[in-house]
Short mmCIF file of all heavy atoms in Angstrom, two decimals:
data_model
loop_
_atom_site.label_atom_id
_atom_site.label_comp_id
_atom_site.label_asym_id
_atom_site.label_seq_id
_atom_site.Cartn_x
_atom_site.Cartn_y
_atom_site.Cartn_z
N ARG Z 56 72.35 48.25 -19.66
CA ARG Z 56 71.04 47.77 -19.22
C ARG Z 56 70.08 48.92 -18.87
O ARG Z 56 69.87 49.25 -17.70
CB ARG Z 56 71.22 46.78 -18.05
CG ARG Z 56 72.15 45.63 -18.41
CD ARG Z 56 72.23 44.57 -17.35
NE ARG Z 56 71.07 43.70 -17.35
CZ ARG Z 56 70.85 42.69 -18.19
NH1 ARG Z 56 71.72 42.44 -19.15
NH2 ARG Z 56 69.78 41.97 -18.10
N PHE Z 58 66.19 50.56 -20.39
CA PHE Z 58 65.12 50.60 -21.39
C PHE Z 58 64.10 51.67 -21.06
O PHE Z 58 64.00 52.13 -19.92
CB PHE Z 58 64.47 49.23 -21.62
CG PHE Z 58 63.68 48.65 -20.47
CD1 PHE Z 58 62.50 49.23 -20.04
CD2 PHE Z 58 64.13 47.49 -19.84
CE1 PHE Z 58 61.77 48.68 -18.99
CE2 PHE Z 58 63.41 46.92 -18.79
CZ PHE Z 58 62.22 47.52 -18.37
N MET Z 74 63.83 52.54 -17.03
CA MET Z 74 64.38 51.54 -16.10
C MET Z 74 65.87 51.36 -16.37
O MET Z 74 66.28 51.09 -17.50
CB MET Z 74 63.69 50.19 -16.32
CG MET Z 74 62.42 50.01 -15.53
SD MET Z 74 62.80 49.40 -13.87
CE MET Z 74 61.12 49.24 -13.24
N ASN Z 76 69.21 49.13 -15.05
CA ASN Z 76 69.58 47.88 -14.36
C ASN Z 76 68.36 47.11 -13.84
O ASN Z 76 68.32 46.73 -12.66
CB ASN Z 76 70.55 48.16 -13.20
CG ASN Z 76 71.85 48.77 -13.67
OD1 ASN Z 76 72.19 48.71 -14.85
ND2 ASN Z 76 72.60 49.36 -12.75
N PRO Z 77 67.36 46.88 -14.68
CA PRO Z 77 66.14 46.19 -14.21
C PRO Z 77 66.36 44.70 -13.94
O PRO Z 77 67.23 44.07 -14.54
CB PRO Z 77 65.17 46.38 -15.37
CG PRO Z 77 66.04 46.52 -16.57
CD PRO Z 77 67.29 47.21 -16.10
N GLU Z 78 65.53 44.19 -13.03
CA GLU Z 78 65.52 42.75 -12.71
C GLU Z 78 64.07 42.33 -12.49
O GLU Z 78 63.27 43.12 -11.99
CB GLU Z 78 66.21 42.48 -11.37
CG GLU Z 78 67.69 42.61 -11.32
CD GLU Z 78 68.17 42.57 -9.86
OE1 GLU Z 78 67.71 41.70 -9.09
OE2 GLU Z 78 68.97 43.45 -9.51
N PHE Z 79 63.76 41.09 -12.80
CA PHE Z 79 62.43 40.57 -12.50
C PHE Z 79 62.34 40.23 -11.02
O PHE Z 79 63.25 39.63 -10.46
CB PHE Z 79 62.13 39.30 -13.30
CG PHE Z 79 61.88 39.55 -14.76
CD1 PHE Z 79 62.70 38.99 -15.73
CD2 PHE Z 79 60.80 40.33 -15.17
CE1 PHE Z 79 62.47 39.22 -17.08
CE2 PHE Z 79 60.56 40.56 -16.51
CZ PHE Z 79 61.40 40.00 -17.47
N VAL Z 80 61.21 40.59 -10.42
CA VAL Z 80 60.93 40.21 -9.05
C VAL Z 80 59.94 39.04 -9.06
O VAL Z 80 60.08 38.08 -8.32
CB VAL Z 80 60.35 41.40 -8.24
CG1 VAL Z 80 60.00 40.97 -6.82
CG2 VAL Z 80 61.34 42.56 -8.24
N GLU Z 81 58.94 39.16 -9.95
CA GLU Z 81 57.93 38.11 -10.09
C GLU Z 81 57.49 38.01 -11.55
O GLU Z 81 57.50 39.01 -12.27
CB GLU Z 81 56.67 38.45 -9.27
CG GLU Z 81 56.77 38.13 -7.82
CD GLU Z 81 55.50 38.55 -7.07
OE1 GLU Z 81 54.39 38.42 -7.63
OE2 GLU Z 81 55.65 39.01 -5.92
N ARG Z 82 57.09 36.81 -11.94
CA ARG Z 82 56.51 36.57 -13.27
C ARG Z 82 55.50 35.46 -13.14
O ARG Z 82 55.82 34.40 -12.61
CB ARG Z 82 57.58 36.10 -14.26
CG ARG Z 82 58.27 37.22 -15.01
CD ARG Z 82 59.27 36.68 -16.00
NE ARG Z 82 60.50 36.25 -15.35
CZ ARG Z 82 61.58 35.86 -16.02
NH1 ARG Z 82 61.57 35.83 -17.34
NH2 ARG Z 82 62.67 35.50 -15.39
N ASP Z 83 54.27 35.69 -13.58
CA ASP Z 83 53.32 34.58 -13.59
C ASP Z 83 52.25 34.73 -14.66
O ASP Z 83 52.15 35.76 -15.32
CB ASP Z 83 52.68 34.36 -12.20
CG ASP Z 83 52.16 35.63 -11.60
OD1 ASP Z 83 51.35 36.31 -12.27
OD2 ASP Z 83 52.54 35.96 -10.46
N ARG Z 104 54.19 34.77 -23.51
CA ARG Z 104 54.84 35.51 -22.42
C ARG Z 104 54.03 35.35 -21.15
O ARG Z 104 52.81 35.18 -21.21
CB ARG Z 104 54.85 37.02 -22.74
CG ARG Z 104 55.53 37.43 -24.02
CD ARG Z 104 56.98 37.67 -23.80
NE ARG Z 104 57.63 38.33 -24.93
CZ ARG Z 104 58.94 38.44 -25.03
NH1 ARG Z 104 59.73 37.95 -24.11
NH2 ARG Z 104 59.48 39.06 -26.06
N PRO Z 105 54.65 35.49 -19.97
CA PRO Z 105 53.87 35.60 -18.75
C PRO Z 105 52.93 36.83 -18.82
O PRO Z 105 53.25 37.80 -19.51
CB PRO Z 105 54.93 35.78 -17.67
CG PRO Z 105 56.13 35.09 -18.21
CD PRO Z 105 56.10 35.39 -19.69
N ARG Z 107 51.78 38.62 -16.19
CA ARG Z 107 51.99 39.61 -15.13
C ARG Z 107 53.44 39.53 -14.67
O ARG Z 107 53.98 38.44 -14.47
CB ARG Z 107 51.07 39.30 -13.95
CG ARG Z 107 51.28 40.18 -12.75
CD ARG Z 107 50.38 39.73 -11.59
NE ARG Z 107 50.87 40.29 -10.33
CZ ARG Z 107 51.80 39.70 -9.57
NH1 ARG Z 107 52.30 38.53 -9.91
NH2 ARG Z 107 52.21 40.28 -8.46
N VAL Z 108 54.06 40.71 -14.54
CA VAL Z 108 55.44 40.74 -14.05
C VAL Z 108 55.62 41.89 -13.06
O VAL Z 108 54.90 42.89 -13.11
CB VAL Z 108 56.49 40.92 -15.18
CG1 VAL Z 108 56.44 39.77 -16.16
CG2 VAL Z 108 56.33 42.24 -15.89
N ILE Z 109 56.57 41.73 -12.18
CA ILE Z 109 57.02 42.85 -11.35
C ILE Z 109 58.51 43.02 -11.65
O ILE Z 109 59.26 42.04 -11.64
CB ILE Z 109 56.78 42.59 -9.85
CG1 ILE Z 109 55.27 42.53 -9.57
CG2 ILE Z 109 57.43 43.69 -9.00
CD1 ILE Z 109 54.90 42.20 -8.13
N VAL Z 110 58.88 44.25 -11.98
CA VAL Z 110 60.27 44.55 -12.33
C VAL Z 110 60.78 45.61 -11.36
O VAL Z 110 60.06 46.56 -11.05
CB VAL Z 110 60.35 45.11 -13.77
CG1 VAL Z 110 61.78 45.45 -14.15
CG2 VAL Z 110 59.78 44.11 -14.77
N LYS Z 111 61.99 45.42 -10.88
CA LYS Z 111 62.59 46.48 -10.07
C LYS Z 111 63.90 46.93 -10.71
O LYS Z 111 64.54 46.18 -11.45
CB LYS Z 111 62.82 46.01 -8.63
CG LYS Z 111 63.92 44.99 -8.48
CD LYS Z 111 64.30 44.83 -7.01
CE LYS Z 111 65.48 43.87 -6.91
NZ LYS Z 111 65.88 43.56 -5.55
N GLY Z 112 64.24 48.18 -10.43
CA GLY Z 112 65.46 48.74 -11.00
C GLY Z 112 65.63 50.16 -10.51
O GLY Z 112 65.02 50.55 -9.51
N GLN Z 121 60.02 50.07 -8.33
CA GLN Z 121 59.47 48.76 -8.64
C GLN Z 121 58.15 48.98 -9.37
O GLN Z 121 57.35 49.82 -8.98
CB GLN Z 121 59.23 47.99 -7.33
CG GLN Z 121 58.72 46.59 -7.56
CD GLN Z 121 58.87 45.71 -6.33
OE1 GLN Z 121 59.95 45.54 -5.79
NE2 GLN Z 121 57.77 45.14 -5.87
N ARG Z 122 57.94 48.26 -10.47
CA ARG Z 122 56.74 48.42 -11.28
C ARG Z 122 56.08 47.09 -11.53
O ARG Z 122 56.75 46.10 -11.79
CB ARG Z 122 57.10 49.00 -12.66
CG ARG Z 122 57.80 50.32 -12.63
CD ARG Z 122 56.77 51.43 -12.69
NE ARG Z 122 57.42 52.72 -12.89
CZ ARG Z 122 56.82 53.79 -13.35
NH1 ARG Z 122 55.54 53.74 -13.69
NH2 ARG Z 122 57.46 54.92 -13.49
N GLY Z 124 53.36 45.13 -14.05
CA GLY Z 124 52.72 45.23 -15.36
C GLY Z 124 51.89 44.00 -15.64
O GLY Z 124 52.30 42.88 -15.33
N LEU Z 128 51.66 45.84 -20.89
CA LEU Z 128 52.82 46.36 -20.15
C LEU Z 128 53.74 45.22 -19.71
O LEU Z 128 54.97 45.34 -19.80
CB LEU Z 128 52.36 47.20 -18.95
CG LEU Z 128 53.48 47.86 -18.14
CD1 LEU Z 128 54.37 48.74 -19.02
CD2 LEU Z 128 52.90 48.69 -16.98
N ALA Z 129 53.16 44.10 -19.28
CA ALA Z 129 53.96 42.93 -18.90
C ALA Z 129 54.75 42.44 -20.11
O ALA Z 129 55.93 42.10 -20.00
CB ALA Z 129 53.06 41.81 -18.38
N ARG Z 130 54.10 42.44 -21.25
CA ARG Z 130 54.74 42.02 -22.50
C ARG Z 130 55.89 42.95 -22.84
O ARG Z 130 56.98 42.52 -23.22
CB ARG Z 130 53.68 42.02 -23.61
CG ARG Z 130 54.19 41.74 -25.01
CD ARG Z 130 53.02 41.47 -25.94
NE ARG Z 130 52.37 40.23 -25.55
CZ ARG Z 130 52.76 39.02 -25.94
NH1 ARG Z 130 53.78 38.89 -26.76
NH2 ARG Z 130 52.14 37.95 -25.54
N ALA Z 131 55.65 44.26 -22.72
CA ALA Z 131 56.69 45.25 -23.05
C ALA Z 131 57.89 45.09 -22.12
O ALA Z 131 59.04 45.11 -22.58
CB ALA Z 131 56.11 46.67 -22.95
N PHE Z 132 57.64 44.92 -20.82
CA PHE Z 132 58.74 44.72 -19.87
C PHE Z 132 59.60 43.53 -20.30
O PHE Z 132 60.83 43.60 -20.33
CB PHE Z 132 58.21 44.45 -18.46
CG PHE Z 132 57.89 45.70 -17.67
CD1 PHE Z 132 56.74 45.78 -16.89
CD2 PHE Z 132 58.75 46.79 -17.67
CE1 PHE Z 132 56.44 46.93 -16.16
CE2 PHE Z 132 58.47 47.93 -16.93
CZ PHE Z 132 57.31 48.00 -16.17
N GLN Z 133 58.95 42.42 -20.66
CA GLN Z 133 59.70 41.22 -21.00
C GLN Z 133 60.43 41.35 -22.32
O GLN Z 133 61.55 40.88 -22.48
CB GLN Z 133 58.75 40.03 -21.02
CG GLN Z 133 58.26 39.72 -19.63
CD GLN Z 133 57.09 38.77 -19.65
OE1 GLN Z 133 57.29 37.58 -19.57
NE2 GLN Z 133 55.90 39.30 -19.80
N HIS Z 134 59.79 42.03 -23.27
CA HIS Z 134 60.42 42.26 -24.58
C HIS Z 134 61.71 43.09 -24.40
O HIS Z 134 62.75 42.76 -24.96
CB HIS Z 134 59.42 42.99 -25.49
CG HIS Z 134 59.92 43.29 -26.86
ND1 HIS Z 134 59.48 42.63 -27.98
CD2 HIS Z 134 60.83 44.19 -27.29
CE1 HIS Z 134 60.11 43.11 -29.04
NE2 HIS Z 134 60.94 44.07 -28.65
N GLU Z 135 61.62 44.16 -23.59
CA GLU Z 135 62.79 45.03 -23.40
C GLU Z 135 63.86 44.33 -22.55
O GLU Z 135 65.05 44.48 -22.80
CB GLU Z 135 62.37 46.36 -22.76
CG GLU Z 135 61.35 47.17 -23.56
CD GLU Z 135 61.67 47.31 -25.03
OE1 GLU Z 135 62.87 47.36 -25.40
OE2 GLU Z 135 60.72 47.37 -25.84
N MET Z 136 63.42 43.55 -21.54
CA MET Z 136 64.39 42.78 -20.75
C MET Z 136 65.15 41.81 -21.64
O MET Z 136 66.36 41.62 -21.50
CB MET Z 136 63.67 42.01 -19.64
CG MET Z 136 63.21 42.88 -18.50
SD MET Z 136 64.58 43.51 -17.50
CE MET Z 136 64.61 42.26 -16.24
N ASP Z 137 64.44 41.19 -22.58
CA ASP Z 137 65.09 40.28 -23.53
C ASP Z 137 66.19 41.01 -24.30
O ASP Z 137 67.28 40.47 -24.50
CB ASP Z 137 64.06 39.72 -24.52
CG ASP Z 137 63.38 38.45 -24.02
OD1 ASP Z 137 63.73 37.98 -22.92
OD2 ASP Z 137 62.50 37.94 -24.73
N HIS Z 138 65.89 42.25 -24.74
CA HIS Z 138 66.91 43.02 -25.48
C HIS Z 138 68.19 43.15 -24.65
O HIS Z 138 69.29 43.08 -25.19
CB HIS Z 138 66.39 44.43 -25.79
CG HIS Z 138 65.60 44.53 -27.07
ND1 HIS Z 138 66.12 44.17 -28.28
CD2 HIS Z 138 64.34 44.97 -27.31
CE1 HIS Z 138 65.20 44.37 -29.22
NE2 HIS Z 138 64.11 44.85 -28.65
N LEU Z 139 68.04 43.36 -23.34
CA LEU Z 139 69.21 43.55 -22.48
C LEU Z 139 70.00 42.25 -22.35
O LEU Z 139 71.18 42.26 -22.01
CB LEU Z 139 68.79 44.07 -21.10
CG LEU Z 139 67.95 45.36 -21.11
CD1 LEU Z 139 67.72 45.84 -19.69
CD2 LEU Z 139 68.61 46.46 -21.93
N ASP Z 140 69.34 41.12 -22.63
CA ASP Z 140 70.04 39.83 -22.59
C ASP Z 140 70.44 39.37 -23.99
O ASP Z 140 70.78 38.20 -24.19
CB ASP Z 140 69.14 38.78 -21.91
CG ASP Z 140 68.95 39.08 -20.43
OD1 ASP Z 140 69.87 39.68 -19.84
OD2 ASP Z 140 67.90 38.74 -19.88
N ARG Z 147 62.64 33.86 -29.71
CA ARG Z 147 61.68 33.15 -28.85
C ARG Z 147 60.75 32.26 -29.67
O ARG Z 147 59.98 31.49 -29.11
CB ARG Z 147 60.84 34.14 -28.05
CG ARG Z 147 61.62 34.89 -27.00
CD ARG Z 147 60.88 34.88 -25.67
NE ARG Z 147 61.71 35.41 -24.61
CZ ARG Z 147 62.28 34.64 -23.67
NH1 ARG Z 147 62.09 33.34 -23.65
NH2 ARG Z 147 63.03 35.20 -22.74
#
Side-chain angles (χ1 to χ4, degrees):
R56 304 187 77 79
F58 67 68
M74 273 275 182
N76 297 344
E78 288 169 45
F79 287 119
V80 177
E81 279 178 37
R82 270 182 283 187
D83 49 54
R104 302 272 192 191
R107 175 184 162 273
V108 298
I109 295 176
V110 179
K111 71 167 184 184
Q121 183 164 304
R122 302 269 190 160
L128 183 56
R130 174 168 294 275
F132 275 138
Q133 292 167 92
H134 180 108
E135 301 313 328
M136 286 290 266
D137 272 358
H138 274 302
L139 305 185
D140 292 331
R147 292 228 171 254

